[in-house]
Amino acid sequence: MKVCIIGDGLTSLALAKTLVNQDIYVDLVCSHKTKNYDRTRTIGLSKNNVDFFNKNIANINKFLWKIEKIEIFSENLKSEKIIEFEKNNQQLFSLIKNYKLYDFLKINLKKNKFFKIIKNKNNFEKIKREYQLIIVCDKNNQFSKKYFYKKFTKSYNSYAYTTIINHKKIYKNNIATQIFTKKGPLAFLPISESKTSVVYSYRGFEKIDLRSLIKKYNKRFQNVKVSKISSFKLNLSNLRTYHHENILAFGDVIHRIHPLAGQGFNMNVRDISKLLKLIKEKIDNGLVLDSSVCKDFEKSMKHKNFLFSNGIDLIYEIFKLEGNIKNNVIGKTIKLFGKNKMLKDFFTKTADGGIAL
């Protein structure tokens, strides 16, 4: 069996590695341009997704930095802690640098006899005829522009600013912190004893001084040195239709969300997990991988992804409202709910495993 994957991003490579592990031939179609991942960008992976990745894709434990506690603060409550999550010193999620995961997967795949890279194959009509299953992970190709352009979209009129700070070594630097400032959430995400990733989602387009903001809100790190700062525009999108005949949209093509909860790539990994299950069922029953895989995937995941992404959006809007009205009622209410163990367990399980319906 052979599958074609369009695109060479992280999701494309993770999906390709998943499939070749099942002895499925994968042709990956990409442009001539070499992808260079921003070294300031990191990914948060839930424990459930780490376990899936290690078992079904590749063991990435050596690249991970484990987080055992999450603390959330509100500027409207004078930077008072409103909620925290921890589980008996157990891993809640892990951080990994984008470029390290990308390079690891690419090197791993090049050694695999089931994998082949086809550069700049522009004859998309020929691709349609040649493969029974085509998976599109790149939003800037002909398939996406022709079949997957109808989306529910929302602009946050915001930019995310990312950097890595170097600081004095902290033993067990394993507490992630998020401060809901009046202009957007600011997260400190440890990636080693002496390095921490910073992500600031700022509502507005004017230039900001991230170094000053880090100095203002940093309460934990000493001798801080800020490295290169990068930025990208924030949008919400959900694709209306996941497939066209034997062509399946996938990953960021079908959903993009606000980074405040670090769930973007987690959603993609959950999609890979579901697709793998559907493909295994087809193979076990002696069936070919064709348009039926696309239909089954959309039926299984479309409503879950829509609910999950809009749930993240709702959290964003709640804290945006608190910042706009300059009132601490919302923060106090969340702090009250944060004392409810059942609710905290529900949110922890949802963040770890997604929506199970």
Side-chain angles (χ1 to χ4, degrees):
M1 294 185 183
K2 185 183 285 188
V3 171
C4 177
I5 296 176
I6 310 291
D8 62 343
L10 267 176
T11 300
S12 304
L13 297 187
L15 176 59
K17 186 65 171 66
T18 306
L19 297 181
V20 299
N21 287 347
Q22 301 299 314
D23 293 347
I24 296 170
Y25 287 94
V26 172
D27 286 353
L28 187 138
V29 178
C30 63
S31 67
H32 282 305
K33 294 179 181 179
T34 301
K35 187 176 283 294
N36 293 312
Y37 266 94
D38 187 339
R39 292 182 174 240
T40 69
R41 299 280 297 275
T42 56
I43 296 169
L45 275 175
S46 69
K47 185 181 183 304
N48 190 63
N49 279 339
V50 168
D51 292 342
F52 171 82
F53 216 101
N54 287 337
K55 181 180 178 182
N56 297 284
I57 303 177
N59 192 307
I60 55 173
N61 279 333
K62 64 181 178 180
F63 301 110
L64 299 175
W65 188 259
K66 296 179 181 179
I67 302 298
E68 296 178 358
K69 187 176 182 180
I70 302 170
E71 297 180 338
I72 299 176
F73 299 82
S74 171
E75 187 175 27
N76 269 11
L77 286 176
K78 297 180 179 179
S79 297
E80 182 181 343
K81 188 190 301 182
I82 56 174
I83 193 169
E84 66 180 26
F85 298 92
E86 60 180 331
K87 195 176 180 180
N88 300 321
N89 296 320
Q90 295 180 27
Q91 171 191 354
L92 292 176
F93 70 99
S94 296
L95 271 296
I96 184 171
K97 292 182 177 179
N98 288 41
Y99 80 92
K100 283 194 173 182
L101 180 57
Y102 180 81
D103 290 346
F104 173 69
L105 289 173
K106 198 162 189 176
I107 292 169
N108 204 298
L109 278 165
K110 282 183 177 179
K111 301 175 183 177
N112 197 293
K113 67 178 182 179
F114 291 96
F115 178 75
K116 183 170 64 174
I117 293 178
I118 303 174
K119 290 194 173 182
N120 206 24
K121 191 170 183 178
N122 289 321
N123 192 337
F124 284 81
E125 289 303 318
K126 184 179 179 182
I127 291 176
K128 285 176 67 177
R129 295 192 300 270
E130 190 174 338
Y131 302 94
Q132 290 181 297
L133 179 59
I134 302 164
I135 304 174
V136 180
C137 302
D138 176 15
K139 62 183 176 63
N140 294 316
N141 68 86
Q142 292 182 29
F143 285 136
S144 294
K145 293 173 182 177
K146 186 174 182 178
Y147 301 122
F148 306 124
Y149 60 90
K150 293 183 178 179
K151 302 178 179 181
F152 300 99
T153 61
K154 172 182 177 178
S155 174
Y156 286 111
N157 297 318
S158 304
Y159 275 86
Y161 293 84
T162 62
T163 189
I164 304 291
I165 60 172
N166 296 277
H167 51 76
K168 185 178 179 181
K169 186 180 288 188
I170 297 176
Y171 174 67
K172 292 194 73 175
N173 184 24
N174 57 10
I175 301 174
T177 303
Q178 181 144 278
I179 304 109
F180 282 94
T181 76
K182 292 171 184 177
K183 282 294 186 175
L186 173 67
F188 292 89
L189 307 166
I191 55 175
S192 76
E193 289 185 340
S194 59
K195 294 180 185 292
T196 294
S197 170
V198 178
V199 183
Y200 181 47
S201 302
Y202 174 71
R203 290 192 294 273
F205 295 110
E206 63 267 27
K207 192 174 181 180
I208 65 164
D209 185 355
L210 185 59
R211 286 179 170 83
S212 294
L213 286 166
I214 290 170
K215 185 177 181 180
K216 177 181 178 180
Y217 292 105
N218 166 41
K219 306 298 181 185
R220 179 171 289 138
F221 309 110
Q222 298 177 9
N223 303 334
V224 172
K225 293 182 180 179
V226 180
S227 62
K228 174 188 172 184
I229 298 171
S230 300
S231 64
F232 57 94
K233 194 175 181 180
L234 298 178
N235 295 291
L236 170 75
S237 69
N238 281 286
L239 196 63
R240 292 174 182 266
T241 303
Y242 278 21
H243 73 95
H244 173 80
E245 297 175 350
N246 64 326
I247 307 167
L248 176 66
F250 204 79
D252 291 347
V253 180
I254 58 178
H255 45 63
R256 294 183 68 86
I257 63 172
H258 196 284
L260 70 88
Q263 286 290 327
F265 191 66
N266 280 292
M267 290 181 72
N268 294 350
V269 175
R270 292 181 196 117
D271 287 344
I272 292 173
S273 176
K274 184 60 183 181
L275 186 61
L276 174 62
K277 183 178 180 182
L278 292 172
I279 286 174
K280 279 185 173 181
E281 288 173 356
K282 296 288 183 185
I283 293 173
D284 290 344
N285 289 312
L287 302 173
V288 296
L289 305 181
D290 56 13
S291 60
S292 63
V293 174
C294 306
K295 294 175 184 176
D296 291 344
F297 178 79
E298 177 171 333
K299 184 178 179 181
S300 299
M301 296 303 295
K302 184 179 176 181
H303 63 292
K304 293 181 182 179
N305 286 333
F306 185 81
L307 287 172
F308 191 85
S309 61
N310 280 277
I312 299 296
D313 181 59
L314 178 61
I315 294 171
Y316 167 81
E317 289 295 341
I318 287 172
F319 281 100
K320 177 184 174 183
L321 176 64
E322 183 187 46
N324 287 341
I325 64 176
K326 299 179 181 179
N327 190 297
N328 59 20
V329 173
I330 294 174
K332 286 183 176 179
T333 304
I334 293 171
K335 186 176 181 180
L336 183 63
F337 280 127
K339 296 178 180 179
N340 187 305
K341 185 178 182 303
M342 188 178 295
L343 278 173
K344 283 178 68 174
D345 287 347
F346 169 77
F347 286 120
T348 301
K349 289 178 180 178
T350 302
D352 187 39
I355 294 176
L357 294 174

